[in-house]
Amino acid sequence: PDFQTDMFQKVKDKVALEDLRVEDQPETVALQEWLHQVFAPFPYAGTPAGTPLSVGAVELADVIRFVRRNVLPNRSLLALSAPMTAAEFRRFTSQYFGTWVKADPLPYEFSPPAPAKSSKALLVGLPRAGRSCLLLGGEGFRMKHDDYLASVLAMRLLQDRLDQLAARRPDYRFQAHGEGRMLGGYLLVQAVGPADPDPAVFGEIQQAIADIAAGKFTREEFTREQQA
């Protein structure tokens, strides 16, 4: 690729600005911190966009070095239909790919993180935002396959319970998240409400997660969410 200094700086500034905006969003801050507590030191613990500190430390030379070391053409195929000879084809492609040659890939090993032994709870309050976010979640169930749909159904069942809670607590907004990672199902709940959170809300969310993770829902509830 053509590494242009001005374009690199423009993208870098944009990412850094987005990271700074996130700091005023308690629900996003809570989710990032929860993932860090649960998954560190595994890759799941980090944010794909980085942090203001990490993005600010990146230089163009770092990007060039990363691309040349990790982006390899070993299994790449390029199909081009045009009235040209093989030599003309090579000259044409070299304008865009340069001396892009095969190389031995770097060794990479990834072991899934150990299952969480208990639920994780995190409360984030940001004075500038004027509200708080309670994030509660944990590994609640195992799956036979890395099945995204199973986690979605569990999330929908949990959201139904949270909607019932929201009807009683209109000062809170609840959002359930269901994720399937490495054959483990994770249920997360974000509760955004007043700056001074009510401990009773924490207890009700915890019970809702425990019930869904333990399969404490009716066949009718499951069928309704399955057909939704």
Side-chain angles (χ1 to χ4, degrees), residues 54-154:
S54 64
V55 173
V58 175
E59 299 295 342
L60 180 57
D62 299 321
V63 177
I64 295 175
R65 185 165 49 250
F66 175 85
V67 170
R68 290 178 176 173
R69 183 178 60 180
N70 296 280
V71 183
L72 305 173
N74 294 17
R75 296 183 179 179
S76 300
L77 294 175
L78 177 61
L80 181 64
S81 176
M84 61 176 61
T85 65
E88 292 172 334
F89 176 79
R90 282 192 292 269
R91 285 195 299 270
F92 175 78
T93 55
S94 65
Q95 297 177 27
Y96 301 95
F97 295 97
T99 55
W100 198 31
V101 297
K102 294 182 179 181
D104 293 331
L106 294 175
Y108 177 74
E109 295 181 1
F110 177 77
S111 300
K117 295 182 179 179
S118 61
S119 63
K120 298 283 185 177
L122 183 68
L123 175 63
V124 174
L126 300 180
R128 289 175 298 176
R131 62 189 191 280
S132 65
C133 176
L134 173 69
L135 185 67
L136 179 65
E139 183 180 24
F141 56 94
R142 291 186 175 276
M143 298 181 291
K144 294 182 179 179
H145 309 285
D146 191 3
D147 190 351
Y148 171 74
L149 293 179
S151 61
V152 170
L153 281 172

